[in-house]
Amino acid sequence: MSESEKHDNSVKTASVKGFSTTLRNADDTLLAQLGYKSEFKREFSMVETIAFAFSIMGVVASVTSTFSFPLVSGGHVGMVWGWLIPCFFVMAVASSMAELVSAMPTSAGLYYFSAKLAPPNYSALASWITGWANITGQVTLVCSIDFTCAQMITTAIAVGSDGATVLSDGATYGILLAILFCHGLVCSAATNVLARLNLFYVLVNVGTTVAAIIALLVCSGDNKVSTKDAFTLFQNNTGWTDNGWAFLLAFTSPMWTLTGYDSAAHISEEVAGAQRAAPIAILVGVAGTQALGWLLFIAASFATSSVADLLTTTLPLPMGQLFFDVLGKRGMLAIWSFIIVVQFVTGAAQGVDASRVIFAFARDNALPGSRWWKKMNRHTQTPVNAVWFVMVGAAICGLLGFSTAALSSLAGASVIGLYVSYATPIFLRITSGRDKLVPGPFSLGRWYIPIGIVAVSWVTFIVVLLFFPSTQTVAAPGMNYAVVIIMGVFVFASVSWIVSARYWFHGPIKNIDDSSSSIEGKEL
């Protein structure tokens, strides 16, 4: 290489570094305007942010985990249309959230949005409600992801031993604790490590999903059902007499899968060019998951020759039985091992997201023991204490694993908690906050009101739906305990607010002074 070429390359490198520095400085300036000092390293690029948002939904593992819901609630129709229909409404929620993130990219995310968009007299209360709803959803989502990862491992053991080894609920809980411990270690790593890991996460996620789709379609051979049956055969196995209501319960699968995309907001203080990268990550992550998930369910519908046989399997997860029927023992274990990896990394990504929510809420002194949970580790510059708060909370929620309705309870609680926290700032945006938002690079323009109305209406409907049990006749072991989790947190947050918090919690607290930023203190 000539000296002139070396000089040109050094100039290009310097220009890129200079642009990155300028971008990060602009991010930190905006963060100061929002009221916070920069405490994270901005190591996530746009591509890595998209990978994080996509990975947290872990499409192939999430579909595998929740395959039982559409099987029971409609069979083939539940699989294909029970996935597709909610996608349109979820995109309305995601689009509204992307607009808010673009305007206010901070780890505080949803509860910060609510505080800024609510009427002044109700700002703190709106922030308090949104924050606790989001924390409930975040922690139970970590638990439900890792619980199904444990179920995947027990399924592999059962298949590998030809049914000779079937682990108990206690053993499954032990595996859950081991997974949570591993995730605690991974999520405590430095930001640059987490950013690079997400590129690996998304490759494994997409690659395994595509492989699963091809395997189901090709290897099922002549055993595939007809196109008509794959798209139109309806089977109600819920016990509910109303077929329409039974079909609606299939929505649990896509609603559980399409959660966590607010993660792009919660890591926005670690993202370079957050105003653009975060909303793009939300939209691309949701759209990509929706498309791949639908294709996977279509493939599964074609490969399912008997819904009844899958529902009566002795394996913990019916999708494991489907892969076994189509691919045989070795083929099933081969692809199943990759699905376990996908679910493991999905849980790791969700653990990072949840820890950032805990950190942000504690930074505003909204949690018991906030001074511990907002502490940054001086070696990794990440909130390690908040990470272990999440893992311990998820371990406690995991005790529901001893209930036969564990998955539906955890899935319902996580979806309800997260989507209530999604809908609250959107509702405030289309009501009291119409003139309060200064749009960022991504804006819905005049469409924010109709899109917001669709989003809030959908969340209201889905929250009511997910409180119901999957069958009409319910005993204590099969009860949907989502209502217990949600009401428990609601009662705690309400009593705390009435007795104490309303006197000292005033919403997001600025932690940057005038000497650090000349624009500190300005309102949106």
Side-chain angles (χ1 to χ4, degrees), residues 174-196:
I175 296 172
L176 167 64
L177 294 180
I179 294 170
L180 288 170
F181 178 76
C182 292
H183 281 161
L185 297 177
V186 172
C187 297
S188 297
T191 299
N192 63 332
V193 175
L194 295 173
R196 304 300 98 80

Side-chain angles (χ1 to χ4, degrees), residues 137-355:
Q138 293 284 349
V139 174
T140 51
L141 186 57
V142 170
C143 179
S144 58
I145 291 171
D146 286 1
F147 175 72
T148 50
C149 187
Q151 285 188 312
M152 290 176 184
I153 293 172
T154 61
T155 297
I157 292 172
V159 172
S161 64
D162 295 321
T165 304
V166 179
L167 297 183
S168 65
D169 290 340
T172 303
Y173 184 70
I175 296 172
L176 167 64
L177 294 180
I179 294 170
L180 288 170
F181 178 76
C182 292
H183 281 161
L185 297 177
V186 172
C187 297
S188 297
T191 299
N192 63 332
V193 175
L194 295 173
R196 304 300 98 80
L197 280 174
N198 276 284
L199 295 177
F200 165 73
Y201 291 173
V202 77
L203 289 175
V204 175
N205 188 359
V206 174
T208 305
T209 304
V210 172
I213 293 170
I214 294 173
L216 289 173
L217 289 175
V218 173
C219 297
S220 55
D222 295 334
N223 292 323
K224 285 193 289 287
V225 299
S226 67
T227 301
K228 180 181 179 181
D229 284 351
F231 284 89
T232 63
L233 182 59
F234 181 84
Q235 295 169 279
N236 179 1
N237 296 289
T238 64
W240 289 95
T241 55
D242 189 299
N243 287 338
W245 178 257
F247 169 69
L248 293 177
L249 293 172
F251 292 175
T252 305
S253 178
M255 292 308 300
W256 186 75
T257 302
L258 298 169
T259 52
Y261 48 86
D262 56 317
S263 58
H266 301 309
I267 65 163
S268 60
E269 293 181 28
E270 302 166 71
V271 175
Q275 279 193 294
R276 294 183 181 276
I280 289 174
I282 290 173
L283 297 175
V284 172
V286 170
T289 300
Q290 289 177 340
L292 284 174
W294 197 45
L295 291 176
L296 181 55
F297 263 120
I298 289 174
S301 184
F302 273 107
T304 300
S305 57
S306 173
V307 170
D309 288 347
L310 294 184
L311 289 176
T312 56
T313 180
T314 57
L315 297 179
L317 296 171
M319 184 64 97
Q321 185 65 52
L322 178 62
F323 279 120
F324 182 82
D325 292 343
V326 173
L327 304 177
K329 178 179 175 180
R330 289 186 177 181
M332 178 271 179
L333 289 175
I335 198 163
W336 200 254
S337 62
F338 282 99
I339 293 174
I340 291 173
V341 172
V342 172
Q343 189 72 334
F344 182 86
V345 299
T346 298
Q350 178 55 36
V352 172
D353 182 20
S355 69

